[in-house]
Amino acid sequence: MTQLNTAEVTLEREGDQVFITLSNPGKLNALTVSMWGQLQAHMKTVSQDMDVRAVIIRGADRQFAAGADVSEFQYVRTDLDSVMHYHTKVLAPALQEIANCPHPVIAQIEGVCVGEGLEIAVQCDLRIAGQSARFGAPTNKLGLPMAPEEIRTLLSLAGPAVTRELLLEGRVFSAAEAKEKGLLTRIVDDGEVAEEVARAAARICDGGPLAARLNKQMINRLLKSDAPLSIGEMHDFFRYAETKDHQEGVRAFLAGESPTFTGD
């Protein structure tokens, strides 16, 4: 009897929050080609929905993701052309959709977060992990390097010294060490990861969604280029002064009330 492939990435909407769940039962949510495609599609859908205020990426069964599903290598990563296709046409578009998402994205990390799982996590804006979570990029154990664009984000987050250590040693390490290396936002007890992520998402959703989007946009712009902002970029940014959200925030503060933001 043929076993059905149950690997999938699901999307659930709860109010103004979206939960994207990686699932590959029995394989610690190792990522398949199909899962990458689903992740890209879900992130694209979420990015186009301006009613969303926070996105949470998590793994099923209290595991984040254990890298790539190596059982597919013999079919999808066999030679120069197929490897280049995999990294440039399968992984890169999905990771870019996470990076380009206008809404804040939180990685809810439990269990293992290595290889391609780590690559997903570092694209997120916040990374909240349980104390027993494990991290690393042991691609050298498979005799392969991390792809250039995937290295780029790791470099921008953790710097060259940490990136060299992760990729050259291929060591798997603790959440405490990941935090020390700058890979994590914070660590909580294993049983409190979902609750802490919920609290972080609530704080984000309580703030102005337009402000969050502008902050993300400007952070990404400043990271990509040292060039001075153009007059057009300055105008686009400071145009928030005329928005309803800004006016509501000031009004509510002066009135001693909680603001009601609409994203306008």
Side-chain angles (χ1 to χ4, degrees), residues 171-229:
R171 186 167 56 87
V172 175
F173 47 88
S174 69
E177 188 171 346
K179 177 71 164 57
E180 179 185 328
K181 294 180 185 303
L183 295 170
L184 292 177
T185 306
R186 53 184 170 271
I187 303 169
V188 297
D189 291 341
D190 289 339
E192 297 180 4
V193 180
E195 290 80 0
E196 181 59 25
V197 168
R199 287 190 286 267
R203 287 189 285 269
I204 289 169
C205 293
D206 284 343
L210 179 60
R213 293 196 292 268
L214 285 172
N215 279 327
K216 281 199 62 171
Q217 179 182 321
M218 187 52 62
I219 290 168
N220 290 336
R221 160 63 174 85
L222 295 174
L223 283 173
K224 287 178 181 177
S225 174
D226 291 329
L229 295 175

Side-chain angles (χ1 to χ4, degrees), residues 245-255 259 261:
D245 268 9
H246 177 52
Q247 294 165 9
E248 167 63 8
V250 173
R251 182 208 64 78
F253 181 85
L254 294 174
F261 294 118

Side-chain angles (χ1 to χ4, degrees), residues 14-32:
E14 294 183 11
D16 50 12
Q17 299 180 26
V18 167
F19 293 84
I20 293 177
T21 306
L22 314 171
S23 178
N24 192 350
K27 294 189 176 183
L28 300 175
N29 305 326
L31 291 135
T32 65

Side-chain angles (χ1 to χ4, degrees), residues 214 217-218 229-243 246:
L214 285 172
Q217 179 182 321
M218 187 52 62
L229 295 175
S230 68
I231 294 298
E233 288 176 312
M234 296 285 278
H235 283 174
D236 287 343
F237 183 81
F238 287 109
R239 196 167 283 146
Y240 76 82
E242 300 173 350
T243 64
H246 177 52

